[in-house]
Structure formats: C-alpha cells, structure tokens
C-alpha cells in the first residue's frame, strides 16, 4: 500500500479528490476525517495542511503528495516532482498600491515586500539582480501596505479580485503554479510499481479531458478535405453510410481546436456533427 497526502480542505483538496475518483479509485471522505483507505486500490489518503505535505513526503510519512508547485518550491524539501496535474492553476505575483506609478522591476529595488513565499520571491529578486526587505507573514498579506508594514506584497493570485478589493494592482508575475504530484525519493519496487499504475490512470484521465471524440457525416467528394482537418490519433475512421455518396467519419480532436475545426468541417459539407467528451484516453 502507498500513502498519499492531500490538502484537507479547500479548492486544491476538492480538485484532487475529483482526480482520484476519475481515476476509478473509491474512498470515503467524511467531515473531520484525517485518513481514508481506498476500497479498490492499495492506497491510503492522509488529509493534511497544504504547507505540511512536502515535509511529510520527504520524511517518508507519506509516499506521495499533491500540493501546489509554489509550496513545493517554497518548502525546499528533498522530494521528486512526478507529474504536473493541470488544475488549481494560479500565479505568485507582486502587487503595489494601485495609485503608485510602476515602471518595471527596478522600482522594487530596496522596497519592503510582505509575502508568505520568501524563498520563491528571493530567488526571483536574485535573478533580477535586485535587493529588497522581505517581511514574511502568513495570511492577509494584502493588508500590509495599508497598515504601513510594507510597500508591496507578493502573494498567490487566481482572479485578482482580492488585490483589487484591497486597493492593490498586480505588476509582476514571479511564477506560475499548479497542482503537482510529488513523491518520496526512496520508494521501493512495490511502491514504485503502484505509483506507475496511478500515473497511468492519471495520464488517461488528463488526455481524455483535453480531447473530444467527433462523429460526422461527410459527402464522399469532400472526404479528403475533411480527413485533412481531422488527423485523429493515427487517422480518422471512415465507414460507408446506407445513403449512397456519404460516409460516417469518426475521429479525435484537441479541445482547444474544437470551434475552429468544427467551423471548417461545416464549411466543407460535413453534416450531423456530434462531439462527445472523452472520459479516459490511452495512447
């Protein structure tokens, strides 16, 4: 059995639980529970504070962990990044009072900056050749300029609404972050094999989520053009229809290309276009 540490509450927790359930792993998540064992996979969940997860994984208390990439870097624990998971995306940004003029990173030189991520921020400052006075605080970072603690802040931003409501404007992106799967660096052979099985399922879910299955009817004289728009995984499947002169075309397309491709297909005579979400896709 392998143990995986995940955030006990919040958006990252919800998205992580959804991912494991989409991977076909069944477990219960009762309010206040700190542990849960899967019923159909040798996996035990530990529900922990986000900031504690890298340490628990590095120490071997948990074999795996799901955490924000920014937290993984900030904690500087000796863990292995196994996979970027594509959800809970955000950015770590510098913000200043919205009435202040800003001309670039040089304006931050020798300024006081409040942040919960001094390691990540210091690395960025070093790359820019800047020095600044960092005030490490946890929570309510946005209030620092208004109470005179700092001249700027560096904090996690998703929509930017919290900054705006506190009279701040975003001026620099220090890093972009998303949820990542990390592991202890000393997994044994059985644990590594279970990790590979888990990664296989995660890859199938992620690949399926970023693609669509498309079915359409096409006039035979336009098949070559329509097929050129639908490369599929290898090539589209083409089946003759009962109606003479028409074929049914089945393929897979990237979700990001959907609207452009569908418009082109319609312009080239495709009819009865049906687009279906893909739950899992193994390539």
């Amino acid at each position: 059995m392998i143990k995986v540490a995940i955030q006990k509450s919040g958006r990252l927790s919800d998205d992580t639980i959804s991912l494991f359930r989409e991977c076909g792993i069944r477990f219960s998540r009762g309010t206040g529970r700190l542990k849960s064992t899967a019923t159909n996979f040798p996996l035990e969940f530990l529900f922990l504070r986000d900031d504690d997860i890298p340490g628990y994984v590095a120490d071997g208390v948990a074999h795996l962990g799901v955490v924000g990439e920014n937290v993984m870097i900030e904690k500087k624990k000796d863990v292995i990044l196994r996979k970027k998971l594509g959800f809970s995306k955000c950015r770590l940004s510098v913000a200043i009072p919205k009435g202040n003029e800003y001309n670039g990173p040089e304006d931050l030189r020798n300024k006081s900056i409040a942040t919960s991520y001094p390691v990540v921020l210091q690395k960025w400052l070093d790359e820019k050749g800047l020095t600044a006075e960092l005030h490490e605080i946890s929570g309510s970072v946005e209030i620092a300029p208004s109470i005179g603690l700092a001249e700027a802040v560096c904090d996690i931003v998703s929509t930017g609404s919290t900054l705006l409501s506190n009279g701040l404007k975003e001026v620099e992106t220090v890093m972009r972050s998303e949820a990542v799967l990390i592991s202890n660096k000393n997994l044994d052979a059985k644990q590594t094999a279970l990790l590979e099985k888990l990664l296989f399922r995660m890859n199938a879910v992620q690949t399926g989520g970023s693609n669509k299955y498309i079915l359409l009817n096409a006039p035979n004289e336009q098949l070559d053009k329509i097929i050129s728009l639908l490369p599929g995984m290898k090539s589209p499947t083409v089946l003759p229809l009962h109606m003479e002169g028409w074929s049914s075309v089945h393929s897979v397309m990237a979700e990001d290309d959907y609207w452009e491709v569908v418009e082109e297909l319609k312009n080239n005579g495709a009819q009865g276009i049906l687009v279906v979400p893909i739950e899992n896709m193994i390539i």
Side-chain angles (χ1 to χ4, degrees), residues 19-82:
L19 172 61
F20 278 97
R21 286 181 171 156
E22 287 170 11
C23 288
I25 297 172
R26 296 195 293 271
F27 61 98
S28 61
R29 175 67 174 107
T31 303
R33 293 185 64 177
L34 299 180
K35 291 198 304 182
S36 180
T37 302
T39 59
N40 62 340
F41 194 90
L43 184 63
E44 182 178 61
F45 293 90
L46 307 179
F47 302 102
L48 306 171
R49 288 181 63 253
D50 194 38
D51 289 351
D52 294 336
I53 291 174
Y56 275 90
V57 173
D59 293 341
V61 176
H63 305 108
L64 308 176
V66 177
V67 69
E69 187 177 4
N70 57 299
V71 174
M72 179 195 72
I73 294 172
E74 181 66 30
K75 295 305 176 181
K76 296 196 298 184
K77 298 297 183 179
D78 194 11
V79 297
I80 300 174
L81 195 163
R82 295 289 184 173

Side-chain angles (χ1 to χ4, degrees), residues 60-109:
V61 176
H63 305 108
L64 308 176
V66 177
V67 69
E69 187 177 4
N70 57 299
V71 174
M72 179 195 72
I73 294 172
E74 181 66 30
K75 295 305 176 181
K76 296 196 298 184
K77 298 297 183 179
D78 194 11
V79 297
I80 300 174
L81 195 163
R82 295 289 184 173
K83 182 174 180 58
K84 294 191 175 187
L85 299 175
F87 59 80
S88 295
K89 292 186 177 181
C90 60
R91 56 195 180 274
L92 184 64
S93 296
V94 176
I96 64 174
K98 59 184 178 183
N100 292 6
E101 184 180 353
Y102 187 77
N103 300 301
E106 189 63 32
D107 285 0
L108 299 173
R109 185 179 295 279

